[in-house]
């Protein structure tokens, strides 16, 4: 739907969507298994690094984390959309069975693959080789920024900030204490909001181009959720619960 499902779908239809998506995941698992087995049978698994990543996730009506939506969207940003799959298999078993909680970008994997392959890139990369940090359990980045048209999300180990680049519609959550991002502290923590927004602007080059004003009301796949009746509905749901 790319939006809230309440009032548009029956609960059984939401369950059907969830089941269909689970079926697609099972299909990917099966054919990924075929890929791994082919690499094994052809002897390539002995000297190949295999990595699985995704470009984004999707809300599927799982509550409360998906915030009443079946969509991907830039605001409110959810774990379902922004926390991506990243699995890496090293041919010598380095880090086998180990989980790494460091903040990464997809292009950090590119830098790591170059390093693991012993190849010097032809030009400087934006990505950071996170592999040594992953093995040692050390952080790679202090924060990461997600850009979605004029909408931004800045994530640290402590905070999850979401707004547009003009600081409108601010949402701020403590990640560890509020895993489903339900209780915004934006009004109570304006200094943190300013710091997080400044990080997003820094990552964008230090300033907001004037041309971005043309995108103020064009946020991408879904409306700016905080500016619609959608936000009032969600707040009423929280009060009712």
């Amino acid at each position: 739907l790319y939006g809230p499902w309440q009032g548009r779908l029956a609960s059984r239809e939401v369950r059907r969507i969830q089941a269909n998506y689970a079926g697609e995941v099972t299909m990917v698992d099966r054919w990924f298994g075929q890929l791994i087995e082919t690499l094994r049978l052809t002897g390539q698994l002995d000297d190949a690094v295999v990595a699985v990543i995704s470009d984004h996730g999707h809300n599927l009506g799982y509550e409360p984390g998906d915030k009443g939506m079946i969509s991907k969207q830039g605001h409110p940003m959810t774990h379902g959309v922004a926390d991506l799959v990243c699995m890496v298999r090293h041919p010598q078993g380095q880090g086998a069975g180990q989980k790494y909680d460091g903040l990464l970008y997809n292009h950090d994997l590119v830098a790591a693959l170059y390093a693991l392959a012993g190849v010097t890139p032809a030009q400087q990369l934006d990505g950071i080789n996170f592999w040594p940090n992953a093995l040692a359990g050390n952080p790679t980045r202090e924060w990461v920024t997600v850009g979605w048209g004029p909408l931004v999300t800045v994530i640290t180990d402590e905070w999850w900030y979401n707004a547009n680049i003009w600081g409108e519609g601010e949402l701020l959550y403590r990640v560890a204490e509020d895993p489903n991002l339900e209780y915004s502290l934006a009004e109570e923590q304006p200094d943190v909001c300013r710091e997080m927004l400044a990080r997003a602007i820094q990552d964008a080059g230090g300033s907001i181009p004037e041309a971005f004003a043309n995108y103020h009301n064009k946020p991408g796949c879904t409306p700016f959720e905080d500016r619609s009746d959608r936000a009032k509905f969600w707040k009423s749901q929280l009060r009712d619960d």
Side-chain angles (χ1 to χ4, degrees), residues 2 26 98 104 106 131 156 234:
Y2 291 87
T26 300
Q98 186 174 326
L104 301 175
N106 277 355
W131 192 249
T156 70
W234 186 243

Side-chain angles (χ1 to χ4, degrees), residues 37-239:
E37 190 60 19
T38 299
L39 292 174
R40 190 189 313 279
L41 291 173
T42 56
Q44 298 178 83
L45 200 58
D46 296 335
D47 62 357
V49 176
V50 181
V52 179
I53 61 171
S54 64
D55 59 339
H56 61 78
H58 208 87
N59 298 313
L60 293 168
Y62 290 110
E63 303 312 332
D66 287 353
K67 300 184 182 295
M69 292 184 290
I70 295 178
S71 67
K72 60 176 184 178
Q73 75 292 316
H75 188 288
M77 182 61 77
T78 58
H79 284 290
V81 173
D83 277 351
L84 310 183
V85 172
C86 181
M87 298 186 291
V88 181
R89 180 194 183 277
H90 192 282
Q92 278 77 55
Q94 292 184 16
Q98 186 174 326
K99 181 183 288 188
Y100 179 56
D101 291 329
L103 295 167
L104 301 175
Y105 290 114
N106 277 355
H107 50 272
D108 292 332
L109 178 59
V110 176
L113 292 176
Y114 266 111
L116 289 171
V119 176
T120 302
Q123 62 188 42
Q124 184 176 351
L125 302 177
D126 290 330
I128 298 173
N129 173 21
F130 68 88
W131 192 249
N133 292 328
L135 296 179
N138 296 324
T140 298
R141 294 184 178 274
E142 185 180 349
W143 74 85
V144 293
T145 299
V146 180
W148 193 293
L151 306 172
V152 293
T153 304
V154 183
I155 305 167
T156 70
D157 287 336
E158 182 178 8
W159 297 106
W160 181 292
Y161 173 80
N162 188 205
N164 70 13
I165 54 178
W166 299 280
E168 298 169 342
E170 291 184 315
L171 301 171
L172 181 70
Y173 306 98
R174 286 191 183 274
V175 177
E177 299 171 11
D178 188 7
N180 290 311
L181 311 180
E182 295 180 81
Y183 309 105
S184 176
L185 301 176
E187 292 185 4
E188 293 90 337
Q189 299 283 349
D191 291 342
V192 175
C193 289
R194 281 192 291 270
E195 178 185 358
M196 300 291 271
L197 182 59
R199 287 173 169 175
I201 296 174
Q202 173 185 327
D203 286 346
S207 63
I208 302 171
E210 292 182 8
F212 261 69
N214 298 327
Y215 299 95
H216 194 279
N217 296 316
K218 300 176 182 177
C221 297
T222 52
F224 189 3
E225 296 292 344
D226 196 61
R227 289 184 158 192
S228 67
D229 290 336
R230 166 81 188 79
K232 298 176 183 177
F233 170 82
W234 186 243
K235 291 175 182 176
S236 69
Q237 290 295 105
L238 291 178
R239 285 196 297 270

Side-chain angles (χ1 to χ4, degrees), residues 9-23:
L9 295 175
S11 295
R12 63 179 180 81
E13 291 175 304
V14 174
R15 293 194 298 271
R16 176 63 180 266
I17 290 172
Q18 294 167 347
N20 288 346
Y21 197 94

